[in-house]
């Protein structure tokens, strides 16, 4: 007898793996599930009822394809859906450059994927890499099916975040809105906050290979973090209007300089100075892989939340 697949569009797994899934799903009580978990562990197999089912929206973007690989290789989680309006019907593993297909096609029907996960009563997380205009509806739909959400959409408006926070509080559903998923970037910002209490001069210098929206979200976030701490920076030339002095962010005199040259790595440095010294903090990003450790950490943590939090640093 062939066991049922966990999703209507997924082909059956090899018989050896399906046997374990069937054994697990046939057990009802908590004690039986614990016995199942121990039995499978002794057999060297992972019990899929303990997996976090992950749905990725924006799956064919560069970050989406990278996330597919990261989630597929992470312990304790499984890719349950790849949502996008491009490459519909193609295998999620193949478009991500994996050696073997995942037997999971890219779909544009989020409701069907969420419904399948809800039916299985599995713990699920929706990772949203889409657009600011669709974030609210995506989080609301995920919550309706009992899934938590992770939102990494850098241009999302704070007004949308406020609305999402009120919704998640009312629905008692976890959500992380992350300006960055880079653990290195978060550590850079935390170090900058500590240093800002000891220096009265600071400037942010960033380099980017492409002329995207500048100042970048990273620079804006750093400026916001070290503002309103009772410190006024760069008093000597706060009032200068020279474009060569960079853009002033906020009312505390924090300046940012953005350099764009093809071939540069994405880099952000914070330069503090005091009498007789200069203190520089720097973070370089060579590719999108740097976001994956933060994403995997967020998936593991967000399922425990009952409200919205803003910033990956809350999980560190």
């Amino acid at each position: 007898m062939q066991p049922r697949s966990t999703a209507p569009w997924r082909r059956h797994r090899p018989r050896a793996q399906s046997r374990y899934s069937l054994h697990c799903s046939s057990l009802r009580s908590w004690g039986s599930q614990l016995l199942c978990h121990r039995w499978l562990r002794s057999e060297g197999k992972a019990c899929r009822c303990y997996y976090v089912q992950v749905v990725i929206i924006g799956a064919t973007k560069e970050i989406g394809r990278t996330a597919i690989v990261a989630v597929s290789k992470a312990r304790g989680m499984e890719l349950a859906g790849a949502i996008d309006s491009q490459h519909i019907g193609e295998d999620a593993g193949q478009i991500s450059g994996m050696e073997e297909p995942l037997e999971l096609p890219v779909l544009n029907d989020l409701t069907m994927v969420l419904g399948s996960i809800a039916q299985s009563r599995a713990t699920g997380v929706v990772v949203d890499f889409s657009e600011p205009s669709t974030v609210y509806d995506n989080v609301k739909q995920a919550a309706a099916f009992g899934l938590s959400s992770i939102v990494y959409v850098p241009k999302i408006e704070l007004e949308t975040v406020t609305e999402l926070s009120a919704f998640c509080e009312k629905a008692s559903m976890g959500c992380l809105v992350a300006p960055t998923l880079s653990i290195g970037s978060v550590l850079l910002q935390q170090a900058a906050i500590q240093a800002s209490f000891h220096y009265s001069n600071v400037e942010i210098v960033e380099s980017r290979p492409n002329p995207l929206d500048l100042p970048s979200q990273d620079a804006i976030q750093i400026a916001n973090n070290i503002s309103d701490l009772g410190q006024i920076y760069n008093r000597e030339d706060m009032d200068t209007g020279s474009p060569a002095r960079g853009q002033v962010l906020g009312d505390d005199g924090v300046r940012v300089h953005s350099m764009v040259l093809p071939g540069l790595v994405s880099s952000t440095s914070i330069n503090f100075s005091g009498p007789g010294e200069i203190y520089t903090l720097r973070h370089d990003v060579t590719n999108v892989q740097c976001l994956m450790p933060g994403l995997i950490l967020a998936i593991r943590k967000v399922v425990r939340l009952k409200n919205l939090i803003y910033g990956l640093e809350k999980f560190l």
Side-chain angles (χ1 to χ4, degrees):
M1 179 177 116
Q2 288 285 350
R4 291 183 179 180
S5 174
T6 56
W9 59 87
R10 182 176 296 178
R11 300 174 190 171
H12 294 306
R13 293 179 175 274
R15 189 174 182 81
Q17 294 186 22
S18 299
R19 179 164 58 87
Y20 298 125
S21 300
L22 180 62
H23 176 80
C24 176
S25 62
S26 66
L27 301 176
R28 300 301 180 188
S29 67
W30 180 87
S32 295
Q33 288 183 356
L34 180 60
L35 177 63
C36 168
H37 175 63
R38 288 174 177 170
W39 179 75
L40 290 171
R41 184 174 57 184
S42 69
E43 294 289 321
K45 300 294 180 181
C47 174
R48 295 182 65 251
C49 67
Y50 289 92
Y51 276 38
V52 177
Q53 303 291 300
V54 181
V55 179
I56 297 177
I57 304 176
T60 67
K61 296 181 178 181
E62 180 183 10
I63 186 173
R65 297 194 303 269
T66 307
I68 286 172
V69 177
V71 168
S72 299
K73 293 181 177 180
R75 298 180 65 180
M77 61 187 66
E78 180 181 51
L79 185 69
I83 307 299
D84 211 306
S85 58
Q86 307 292 324
H87 299 279
I88 296 173
E90 296 185 37
D91 186 85
Q94 290 181 331
I95 67 168
S96 303
M98 299 181 69
E99 293 181 0
E100 297 183 1
L102 292 175
E103 298 183 355
L104 185 77
V106 176
L107 301 175
N108 62 353
D109 191 340
L110 178 61
T111 302
M112 183 175 73
V113 177
L114 296 179
S116 175
I117 297 173
Q119 267 191 328
S120 68
R121 298 184 180 181
T123 300
V125 174
V126 172
V127 179
D128 194 345
F129 298 133
S130 62
E131 303 297 331
S133 60
T134 62
V135 166
Y136 184 86
D137 289 339
N138 291 340
V139 173
K140 188 174 180 180
Q141 195 169 359
F145 285 93
L147 276 70
S148 304
S149 295
I150 295 171
V151 177
Y152 178 66
V153 181
K155 296 180 183 179
I156 187 173
E157 299 288 340
L158 289 180
E159 181 181 348
T160 303
V161 177
T162 302
E163 293 174 354
L164 282 175
S165 180
F167 169 77
C168 291
E169 189 76 29
K170 186 176 180 180
S172 296
M173 188 57 61
C175 178
L176 166 69
V177 177
T180 180
L181 287 171
S182 166
I183 293 177
S185 179
V186 171
L187 294 176
L188 178 78
Q189 294 175 27
Q190 292 178 340
I193 292 173
Q194 294 297 318
S196 66
F197 292 104
H198 305 284
Y199 296 97
S200 57
N201 291 279
V202 59
E203 302 209 3
I204 301 170
V205 179
E206 61 178 357
S207 63
R208 298 291 184 267
N210 301 306
L212 303 174
D213 292 338
L214 297 172
S216 69
Q217 186 64 40
D218 284 345
I220 294 172
Q221 186 71 19
I222 292 167
N224 290 340
N225 286 342
I226 64 177
S227 297
D228 301 323
L229 298 178
Q231 178 71 282
I232 300 297
Y233 307 98
N234 309 318
R235 291 178 182 270
E236 296 80 4
D237 64 347
M238 276 192 65
D239 298 328
T240 181
S242 173
R245 289 293 297 116
Q247 181 178 343
V248 178
L249 298 180
D251 300 323
D252 296 335
V254 181
R255 293 183 178 275
V256 60
H257 307 260
S258 300
M259 178 171 60
V260 178
L261 288 172
L264 289 176
V265 298
S266 293
S267 175
T268 303
S269 63
I270 312 166
N271 304 276
F272 295 93
S273 72
E277 67 174 344
I278 295 176
Y279 178 53
T280 300
L281 301 167
R282 174 169 172 162
H283 178 241
D284 295 342
V285 174
T286 56
N287 59 54
V288 75
Q289 288 283 351
C290 74
L291 305 179
M292 295 304 107
L295 174 62
I296 298 302
L297 172 67
I299 292 172
R300 299 190 198 282
K301 297 283 190 179
V302 75
V303 294
R304 306 175 188 176
L305 296 180
K306 298 297 182 183
N307 61 340
L308 180 144
I309 67 170
Y310 185 83
L312 181 66
E313 63 272 13
K314 307 297 195 307
F315 289 155
L316 299 183

